[in-house]
Amino acid sequence: MSKNQVPYKIYLSENEMPKAWYNVRANMKTDHRPLLNPATLQPAKLDELEAVFNTECAKQELNDSDEYIEIPDEVRSFYKMYRPSPLVRAYCLEKLLDTPARIYYKFEGNNTSGSHKLNSAIAQAYYAKQQGLKGLTTETGAGQWGTALSMACGYFGLDLTVYMVRCSYEQKPMRKTLMSTYGAKVIASPSDTTEVGRRILAEFPDNTSGSLGTAISEAVEVAVSSEGKYKYSLGSVLNQVLLHQSVIGIESKIAMEKVDEYPDIIVGCAGGGSNLGGLVSEFMHDKLTGKANPYIIAVEPMSCPSLTKGVFAYDFCDTGKVTPLAMMYTLGSGFMPAPSHAGGLRYHGMSPIISQLYHDGYIDEARAVSQTDVFDAAVKFARVEGILPAPESSHAIKVAIDEALKCKESGEAKTILFGLTGTGYFDLYAYEKFLNGTLTDAPPAEEALAKSEGDIPKI
Amino acid sequence: MSKNQVPYKIYLSENEMPKAWYNVRANMKTDHRPLLNPATLQPAKLDELEAVFNTECAKQELNDSDEYIEIPDEVRSFYKMYRPSPLVRAYCLEKLLDTPARIYYKFEGNNTSGSHKLNSAIAQAYYAKQQGLKGLTTETGAGQWGTALSMACGYFGLDLTVYMVRCSYEQKPMRKTLMSTYGAKVIASPSDTTEVGRRILAEFPDNTSGSLGTAISEAVEVAVSSEGKYKYSLGSVLNQVLLHQSVIGIESKIAMEKVDEYPDIIVGCAGGGSNLGGLVSEFMHDKLTGKANPYIIAVEPMSCPSLTKGVFAYDFCDTGKVTPLAMMYTLGSGFMPAPSHAGGLRYHGMSPIISQLYHDGYIDEARAVSQTDVFDAAVKFARVEGILPAPESSHAIKVAIDEALKCKESGEAKTILFGLTGTGYFDLYAYEKFLNGTLTDAPPAEEALAKSEGDIPKI
């Protein structure tokens, strides 16, 4: 097939859909260092993780040996409702940019949660149901994860309480309604419903816009104090999440093979790492086993630059310091990003797997981009490709465009793959600000970074 | 293939996508009566229609002889960005209902306009561009059509002015932003930017929530007074729109054939008729030519019951009485529906093609349903099928569920096809009302109906 006869959208058939998730840890040269129990500073064991997560997910969290883990039939059935997601050849964007590059994106937004988050939500809810739990607790930033887990819990008849970062809660009331439609209870965080919430409200009376770190603390507190009826569920950062999200990359690789393509460059936005980790999965497998060497770029917002400005150290996963410590790139668990419109990228840390891969050079580059540049790319993309992208996804669009323009300059016909993680239907207040010129960039001051990094425990 | 081995989603490949639209008028036993010039009451001729519409669309409006009309290459290319849309087997809904019926829906919401409206928008914009027009004017109710035409005009670099029914404009500010993102200018209707708007504001000072009929008057006025630079574009009712929307039914039929199915019952929501007309296209072809006889149900809201409570008569297509007259089921062009959340179904009239087919018994039944029943069905559907449906689409869901439950009672394994026209991401204020119990039904009083029908001209 000529490279320009590739269809606009490449779908797998149902029986080509992955039957197993890919566990990158089985192939990592240096595994990431283990989670530590915050009380003992010893590696967290299964029973400690089980206090927080459902048992199967706790096991997956610790699994560093099985290359592939079977996807349960009920999860595969649910996947079939909205997967396989299309791999799209961005012909119209290529034309707009007048680039010799061939641009592909894996579009994960064609489901009501609006993003890739459903891939892990349905798995976590399934295992919770199997275990006989009453329900789950979680946090949400942009609202995509909360919506996804609401859908998943609604499907399996589980209760769900969502702590939603307050600035998102206020900017996106419709997200709350959407979660309620699927039966979830949604609480703005920081809240007075938890000890940690009350403590943070008292400590930072002037900054109640919240953060993912705080919302995590609240959701974990509710789960661990429920006498085992509820467990906590997290939409990013964790090994289990990257495992479930590997469907993105597995499908992408099969779809690209169908049209005889392989990416030279892979671009993914990175907040906690769920999308980037999922997108690169089988490509990273190739890289770790020496079969191929795609150039991988992690894109983050200047306002929350964990990879580009953070340090690689053990730190708490939450602001309230109730979770295990993870070895990761972190800005410090007390870091409070300026209100930013890419709510899904406002996390102080980064997936330990992604952190280790970046530290070891398997993720080739991290790039921080400004919010106005991101929205400029988003609007360009929307007008020619017909999809209104989420601000998070638009970070990847921005860098994919930059790389395609470099190809224009050099004349190279590189193959670029990026992850279009979701849609921006609930982010139109931010688009409105961009269109009327009131959207600003908010990189953190060096002093603020130094201060929050000063909080990182010395381990 | 066993009927229960059908995949969850049935896609056509790109080269199976239709190359021509189906023009049902070529096969209708009784063609619908022609549009009349409101000044002369004589059938509107091409040059009169060209004063309002672009030339190619005006020709299509009058074409009653060509069974198939080729889809231009540029329109097909655009279609490939978001089509073919999936035909979905609603396994989870079937399980919830415990019905022997096999339920399929054609999902048109996987594009940023959120609905099927893009199918006609891109065609109308293409022809306008070909003719060298500067831009288009239009109206929008729920906002789906306005968004679709914004995307289409943005793609071809055409100006667009959208008159948006004021109650929608106020309930859905994000719709306005979305249209602006694609470069459109959005004005709440009735407005003081047109003569007809000012007149209606003066006549109904207490009812400024607006109606599609009024917004149409405003958009037409701007187009016809632009010295040919702008033409008007309409997203429903017209023959040309049903022509373009025929892709829905053509694709549906091919997809059903792939899994050896044919619908016993076809259910579509009907406001102006664009979705129902599109959905039934090739199935109606079979019916008109005696090849098959699916039972076709048009579903409308009790609050705007043109087929079930209207009269079949010549009437104006707009409230300001500036458009040609159409022979159709109508509640009277002055009918002001109570503020309803299915903004796309608030039109006083009905497509002349749909009206004639209903009058002649080819559309077997029209059914009016209440808003609370519709939202109840919508939430049920969302929880098991994972898609938050638009209120308009949910009218079809409600009746599809009712029919499937009848099958449960009778034990019949009927095949039901319904049109899931779009998503409800911009309708969450209405879901919120439903969830908190403040959503009400608003069937019009008999006196109000009698009064507005009294306005219908005696022709």
Side-chain angles (χ1 to χ4, degrees):
Chain A
M1 187 188 301
S2 147
K3 296 285 194 283
N4 286 320
Q5 289 176 332
V6 167
Y8 280 66
K9 281 172 292 159
I10 306 147
Y11 282 106
L12 310 190
S13 69
E14 248 170 46
N15 49 29
E16 289 172 311
M17 285 173 66
K19 295 184 177 56
W21 292 302
Y22 169 61
N23 180 17
V24 68
R25 290 179 72 198
N27 298 113
M28 282 168 72
K29 303 297 171 197
T30 317
D31 191 14
H32 69 74
R33 289 171 62 194
L35 294 175
L36 300 184
N37 180 318
T40 63
L41 296 186
Q42 294 303 306
K45 296 203 193 70
L46 181 61
D47 61 329
E48 293 160 325
L49 292 180
E50 281 182 293
V52 179
F53 305 110
N54 74 65
T55 301
E56 192 56 37
C57 285
K59 284 184 188 161
Q60 291 180 348
E61 197 59 31
L62 294 174
N63 189 327
D64 59 3
S65 54
D66 295 324
E67 220 176 13
Y68 291 94
I69 293 175
E70 199 184 323
I71 306 173
D73 279 348
E74 286 202 54
V75 175
R76 286 193 78 224
S77 292
F78 190 92
Y79 278 174
K80 288 178 189 170
M81 285 203 323
Y82 70 99
R83 306 197 69 79
S85 70
L87 178 77
V88 185
R89 171 75 182 269
Y91 281 116
C92 299
L93 182 62
E94 291 172 17
K95 193 174 156 196
L96 176 77
L97 302 174
D98 190 22
T99 175
R102 293 188 301 280
I103 309 174
Y104 292 84
Y105 55 91
K106 180 72 166 165
F107 180 42
E108 293 285 322
N110 269 351
N111 71 76
T112 288
S113 80
S115 81
H116 66 296
K117 294 288 186 184
L118 202 49
N119 301 330
S120 184
I122 193 64
Q124 295 191 42
Y126 168 77
Y127 291 124
K129 182 72 181 177
Q130 287 299 101
Q131 194 178 332
L133 298 181
K134 196 163 169 6
L136 292 169
T137 68
T138 197
E139 81 301 322
T140 197
Q144 294 172 338
W145 168 249
T147 308
L149 197 61
S150 302
M151 290 173 69
C153 286
Y155 187 78
F156 285 122
L158 294 166
D159 290 349
L160 176 66
T161 303
V162 181
Y163 285 88
M164 185 169 186
V165 176
R166 186 174 296 273
C167 66
S168 276
Y169 184 93
E170 284 166 3
Q171 283 165 339
K172 307 183 184 185
M174 296 297 106
R175 273 282 179 199
K176 177 194 156 293
T177 303
L178 183 51
M179 291 184 256
S180 308
T181 301
Y182 286 95
K185 182 174 157 193
V186 186
I187 298 169
S189 166
S191 79
D192 60 7
T193 65
T194 63
E195 263 183 54
V196 68
R198 289 187 291 270
R199 175 155 58 81
I200 286 166
L201 283 171
E203 252 180 73
F204 302 95
D206 297 334
N207 192 346
T208 55
S209 65
S211 70
L212 273 178
T214 303
I216 292 171
S217 302
E218 296 204 87
V220 170
E221 181 183 318
V222 172
V224 297
S225 55
S226 73
E227 295 171 350
K229 286 192 292 233
Y230 296 87
K231 297 287 175 182
Y232 167 70
S233 177
L234 181 63
S236 195
V237 182
L238 298 172
N239 301 336
Q240 59 189 269
V241 175
L242 268 68
L243 174 74
H244 305 148
Q245 293 296 356
S246 68
V247 292
I248 304 174
I250 301 173
E251 281 187 9
S252 297
K253 194 177 161 200
I254 299 171
M256 293 198 86
E257 277 166 1
K258 275 179 178 250
V259 294
D260 201 19
E261 288 272 27
Y262 195 91
D264 298 305
I265 301 172
I266 302 175
V267 184
C269 62
S274 69
N275 162 65
L276 180 66
L279 179 67
V280 300
S281 64
E282 279 291 357
F283 300 106
M284 185 57 77
H285 192 176
D286 289 348
K287 201 157 172 155
L288 290 166
T289 53
K291 284 191 196 140
N293 193 22
Y295 188 83
I296 298 175
I297 308 174
V299 191
E300 59 183 13
M302 273 186 188
S303 59
C304 196
S306 52
L307 287 171
T308 52
K309 298 252 180 172
V311 295
F312 189 47
Y314 263 114
D315 196 7
F316 291 95
C317 296
D318 67 325
T319 309
K321 303 186 179 178
V322 301
T323 62
L325 293 115
M327 182 73 182
M328 60 182 177
Y329 280 88
T330 175
L331 297 164
S333 65
F335 178 73
M336 289 282 177
S340 149
H341 297 293
L345 305 180
R346 286 162 54 79
Y347 185 61
H348 70 276
M350 178 58 65
S351 145
I353 290 176
I354 295 290
S355 294
Q356 190 71 46
L357 289 169
Y358 177 56
H359 189 69
D360 294 344
Y362 290 100
I363 288 172
D364 300 86
E365 187 187 336
R367 209 178 285 179
V369 292
S370 82
Q371 187 160 248
T372 46
D373 284 351
V374 163
F375 273 86
D376 185 63
V379 170
K380 277 200 182 87
F381 178 85
R383 289 198 184 171
V384 295
E385 288 290 322
I387 295 169
L388 188 84
E392 292 81 6
S393 325
S394 305
H395 286 69
I397 295 173
K398 158 69 181 149
V399 168
I401 289 177
D402 287 349
E403 292 301 307
L405 290 175
K406 280 187 202 164
C407 287
K408 183 180 178 179
E409 219 158 286
S410 68
E412 286 172 290
K414 288 189 181 170
T415 302
I416 300 171
L417 167 66
F418 73 89
L420 189 71
T421 57
T423 49
Y425 302 135
F426 294 96
D427 301 287
L428 281 162
Y429 63 94
Y431 276 92
E432 179 68 40
K433 278 184 147 185
F434 173 71
L435 293 172
N436 69 25
T438 60
L439 193 76
T440 53
D441 299 318
E446 294 296 330
E447 308 84 68
L449 278 178
K451 181 174 176 301
S452 72
E453 284 177 5
D455 274 350
I456 298 171
K458 307 290 173 282
I459 295 168
Chain B
M1 185 186 304
S2 147
K3 295 286 194 284
N4 286 321
Q5 290 176 330
V6 167
Y8 279 67
K9 282 172 291 158
I10 306 148
Y11 282 106
L12 310 190
S13 68
E14 246 170 48
N15 49 30
E16 290 172 311
M17 285 174 65
K19 296 184 175 57
W21 292 303
Y22 170 61
N23 180 18
V24 68
R25 291 178 73 197
N27 298 113
M28 282 167 71
K29 303 295 168 197
T30 317
D31 191 15
H32 70 73
R33 288 170 63 194
L35 293 175
L36 299 184
N37 180 319
T40 63
L41 298 186
Q42 294 303 305
K45 297 203 191 70
L46 181 62
D47 61 329
E48 292 161 325
L49 292 180
E50 281 181 293
V52 179
F53 305 110
N54 75 65
T55 301
E56 192 56 36
C57 285
K59 283 184 188 161
Q60 291 180 347
E61 197 58 31
L62 294 174
N63 190 327
D64 59 3
S65 54
D66 295 324
E67 221 175 12
Y68 290 95
I69 294 175
E70 198 183 323
I71 305 174
D73 279 347
E74 285 201 55
V75 174
R76 287 194 78 223
S77 292
F78 190 92
Y79 278 174
K80 287 178 189 170
M81 286 203 321
Y82 71 101
R83 307 198 68 79
S85 68
L87 179 76
V88 184
R89 172 74 182 270
Y91 281 116
C92 300
L93 182 63
E94 291 172 17
K95 193 174 157 197
L96 176 77
L97 302 175
D98 189 23
T99 175
R102 294 188 301 280
I103 309 176
Y104 291 85
Y105 55 91
K106 180 72 166 167
F107 179 42
E108 293 286 322
N110 269 351
N111 72 76
T112 287
S113 79
S115 82
H116 66 296
K117 294 288 186 182
L118 201 49
N119 301 332
S120 184
I122 194 64
Q124 295 191 42
Y126 168 77
Y127 292 124
K129 182 72 181 178
Q130 287 298 101
Q131 195 178 331
L133 298 180
K134 194 162 171 5
L136 293 169
T137 68
T138 196
E139 83 300 320
T140 197
Q144 294 173 337
W145 168 248
T147 308
L149 197 61
S150 301
M151 290 174 70
C153 286
Y155 187 79
F156 285 123
L158 293 166
D159 291 349
L160 176 66
T161 304
V162 181
Y163 284 89
M164 185 170 187
V165 176
R166 187 174 296 272
C167 65
S168 277
Y169 183 93
E170 285 165 2
Q171 284 164 338
K172 307 184 186 186
M174 296 296 107
R175 273 283 180 198
K176 177 194 156 292
T177 303
L178 184 51
M179 291 184 256
S180 308
T181 301
Y182 286 95
K185 182 174 158 193
V186 186
I187 299 169
S189 166
S191 79
D192 60 6
T193 65
T194 63
E195 262 183 55
V196 68
R198 290 187 290 270
R199 174 154 60 79
I200 287 166
L201 282 171
E203 251 178 74
F204 302 95
D206 297 334
N207 191 344
T208 55
S209 64
S211 70
L212 273 177
T214 302
I216 292 171
S217 301
E218 295 204 88
V220 170
E221 181 183 317
V222 172
V224 298
S225 56
S226 72
E227 296 171 349
K229 285 192 290 233
Y230 295 88
K231 297 288 175 179
Y232 167 70
S233 178
L234 181 63
S236 194
V237 181
L238 297 173
N239 301 336
Q240 60 189 266
V241 175
L242 268 68
L243 175 74
H244 306 148
Q245 294 295 356
S246 68
V247 292
I248 305 173
I250 300 172
E251 282 186 9
S252 298
K253 195 178 161 200
I254 298 171
M256 293 198 87
E257 278 166 0
K258 275 179 177 253
V259 295
D260 201 20
E261 287 273 29
Y262 195 92
D264 297 306
I265 301 173
I266 302 175
V267 183
C269 63
S274 69
N275 162 65
L276 179 66
L279 179 67
V280 300
S281 65
E282 278 291 355
F283 301 106
M284 185 57 77
H285 192 177
D286 289 348
K287 201 157 173 156
L288 290 166
T289 53
K291 284 191 196 140
N293 194 21
Y295 188 83
I296 298 175
I297 308 175
V299 190
E300 59 183 13
M302 274 186 186
S303 59
C304 196
S306 51
L307 286 171
T308 53
K309 297 255 180 171
V311 296
F312 189 46
Y314 263 113
D315 197 6
F316 290 95
C317 296
D318 68 324
T319 309
K321 303 186 179 178
V322 301
T323 61
L325 294 114
M327 182 73 182
M328 60 183 176
Y329 280 88
T330 175
L331 297 164
S333 65
F335 178 73
M336 289 283 178
S340 149
H341 296 292
L345 305 180
R346 286 163 53 81
Y347 186 60
H348 70 275
M350 179 55 67
S351 144
I353 290 175
I354 296 289
S355 294
Q356 189 71 46
L357 289 169
Y358 177 56
H359 189 70
D360 293 344
Y362 289 100
I363 290 174
D364 300 86
E365 187 186 337
R367 210 178 286 177
V369 292
S370 83
Q371 188 159 248
T372 46
D373 285 350
V374 162
F375 273 86
D376 185 63
V379 170
K380 278 202 183 84
F381 179 85
R383 289 197 184 171
V384 294
E385 289 289 325
I387 297 169
L388 187 86
E392 293 80 5
S393 325
S394 304
H395 286 68
I397 295 173
K398 159 69 181 150
V399 168
I401 289 177
D402 287 348
E403 292 301 307
L405 291 175
K406 279 188 204 165
C407 288
K408 182 181 179 180
E409 219 158 285
S410 69
E412 287 171 289
K414 287 189 182 171
T415 302
I416 299 172
L417 167 66
F418 72 88
L420 189 71
T421 56
T423 50
Y425 302 135
F426 294 96
D427 300 288
L428 281 162
Y429 63 95
Y431 276 92
E432 179 69 39
K433 279 185 146 186
F434 173 71
L435 293 172
N436 70 24
T438 60
L439 192 75
T440 54
D441 299 318
E446 294 295 330
E447 309 84 68
L449 279 177
K451 181 174 177 300
S452 72
E453 285 177 5
D455 274 351
I456 298 171
K458 308 289 174 280
I459 295 167

